[in-house]
Amino acid sequence: MDVAGEIEGISIPFVIGVFVGAVLAPSTGGFLLPASLSLASLFAAASIIFLMSRDASGAYGPMLMFFLLGVFCFTSRAICVDVSDPEPMLAKAALQRLRALIAGIPFAHGRTNALLMALLTGDRSGLAAAQVAAFRAAGASHILALSGLHLGLVYMMVGRTLGLLGNSPRMRLVRSVLCVALAGFYTVMTGAGPSIVRAFLFICFREISVIDPERKAEPKNIFFAALTVQLVLTPSVIMSIGFQLSYLAMCGIVFVFPYLKSWYPEERRTSPMHWMWNAVSLTLSCQVFTAPLSWIRFHSFPRYFLLTNLIALPLTSVIMTLAVVVVAAQAINMCPPALVWLEDTAVQVFLFVLEAISSM
């Protein structure tokens, strides 16, 4: 059974259908058709889906069915009254507690508290306008937006910590459940933005493959599965710039990065330059897909994005890792001053580098 071919055959027409639904629905900001025609298209799509589901023969039948399901999914949500679930009180209380802990860390520079607040909770209100502009000019705005970068680092730290439990099948199951539960709670706590939800879905599908070794964690399969599930749950998210940039970046990572990475001579892959090549390849792979959309939406293109990412991403990993440790120590009132100083210094170096690049 060609799993990759099946998931692509489902996901691609479904995503196209959701996009077409966004064009049909009037509630998305005055698109092409009025409400009456949107309702007509909704019922027509539902009728055709019903008929095709009874006898979907031929290669194009299932693809057309999932295309119409995408149209149906978006337009049905678009014309319904939005009844949002109340924000979970536990997640809200946890977020308030986390913000209080970050604000209470005695850093020498207030900018450090503000940056950690943005990186860990998504709250950028404490950042000065000049700092936000520096991130944008240097091509590092994605670092401020909660995404797979942030959740991935938290997930990696949790996974390695829980790895101390052992590697038996039962412990792997316990570790996977705890990783998914903690990642899910963090996703909800920080507002469940499109980018971080995408990262959470990637984690879920990866952990499924860990629990069941017979299921291969092919990046392409995970990409299409996560894309489809996210659009089924919230089809309107297809209009979000964060959703679009997140999946476009992942397109580069999944489909382009492996080829660029393989160009490096195999006999020299133990050298430090191999890491540099991988970092450059990863950055270029993302920019190939995200740069056109960024130019269309924001009319700007960071000239020094390669330099920024080569320096900023390793520093971000260090800062995020230290931040988790510092916040955890602060929570039990056992945060060493040396650790606070180290994190404060790392943040100041990071901000200095970004401001220098943005002023070039």
Side-chain angles (χ1 to χ4, degrees), residues 19-335:
F19 177 77
V20 171
V23 174
L24 295 175
S27 63
T28 55
F31 278 82
L32 299 183
L33 299 181
S36 58
L37 290 181
S38 292
L39 282 170
S41 67
L42 169 63
F43 288 112
S47 301
I48 296 174
I49 290 169
F50 174 74
L51 293 173
M52 290 186 61
S53 64
R54 299 177 61 185
D55 184 21
S57 58
Y60 296 103
M63 294 179 65
L64 180 59
M65 182 180 69
F66 283 106
F67 166 79
L68 294 172
L69 277 171
V71 176
F72 175 84
C73 190
F74 190 100
T75 53
S76 61
R77 289 290 296 270
I79 63 175
C80 291
V81 178
D82 183 20
V83 182
S84 302
D85 293 330
E87 185 177 1
M89 294 303 297
L90 180 60
K92 184 176 181 180
L95 180 60
Q96 291 175 345
R97 173 60 174 162
L98 178 58
R99 287 174 174 170
L101 286 172
I102 296 172
I105 300 174
F107 292 118
H109 302 86
R111 299 198 308 174
T112 300
N113 298 81
L115 182 62
L116 294 191
M117 192 77 73
L119 293 179
L120 292 178
T121 71
D123 182 5
R124 291 184 280 181
S125 60
L127 294 174
Q131 287 179 286
V132 176
F135 272 87
R136 186 181 301 110
S141 296
H142 59 284
I143 294 176
L144 290 179
L146 286 178
S147 62
L149 171 65
H150 306 78
L151 184 60
L153 288 170
V154 174
Y155 164 67
M156 181 183 65
M157 293 181 65
V158 171
R160 289 183 176 179
T161 302
L162 295 177
L164 300 174
L165 297 175
N167 202 37
S168 65
R170 180 174 296 179
M171 285 299 101
R172 284 202 301 269
L173 175 60
V174 171
R175 185 166 67 244
S176 293
V177 171
L178 288 175
C179 282
V180 170
L182 291 173
F185 183 76
Y186 182 77
T187 299
V188 174
M189 182 184 72
T190 54
S195 299
I196 200 168
V197 168
R198 190 271 308 159
F200 172 66
L201 290 172
F202 271 55
I203 289 173
C204 290
F205 286 115
R206 183 185 182 280
E207 289 302 323
I208 289 174
S209 67
V210 171
I211 296 173
D212 185 0
E214 294 184 1
R215 295 179 179 269
K216 294 183 179 180
E218 294 290 342
K220 183 168 64 172
N221 296 348
I222 292 176
F223 173 87
F224 284 115
L227 176 60
T228 303
V229 169
Q230 190 165 358
L231 287 177
V232 167
L233 295 175
T234 52
S236 60
V237 79
I238 198 171
M239 307 304 294
S240 164
I241 184 66
F243 173 87
Q244 296 166 7
L245 288 174
S246 181
Y247 275 97
L248 285 173
M250 287 308 303
C251 273
I253 294 173
V254 171
F255 298 105
V256 177
F257 175 59
Y259 292 101
L260 295 182
K261 184 180 178 181
S262 66
W263 289 355
Y264 198 84
E266 187 173 356
E267 64 275 8
R268 298 172 56 188
R269 291 181 183 178
T270 57
S271 67
M273 287 302 297
H274 184 220
W275 174 88
M276 181 71 73
W277 174 261
N278 287 344
V280 171
S281 299
L282 182 65
T283 302
L284 290 175
S285 299
C286 295
Q287 287 293 329
V288 164
F289 286 90
T290 59
L293 179 60
S294 297
W295 178 260
I296 292 171
R297 294 295 296 268
F298 305 116
H299 305 290
S300 65
F301 182 79
R303 292 173 295 176
Y304 302 105
F305 71 89
L306 189 57
L307 177 62
T308 298
N309 285 281
L310 286 176
I311 299 174
L313 289 182
L315 279 174
T316 302
S317 300
V318 171
I319 290 170
M320 287 285 294
T321 302
L322 286 174
V324 173
V325 177
V326 170
V327 170
Q330 179 75 3
I332 59 175
N333 295 318
M334 294 180 60
C335 190

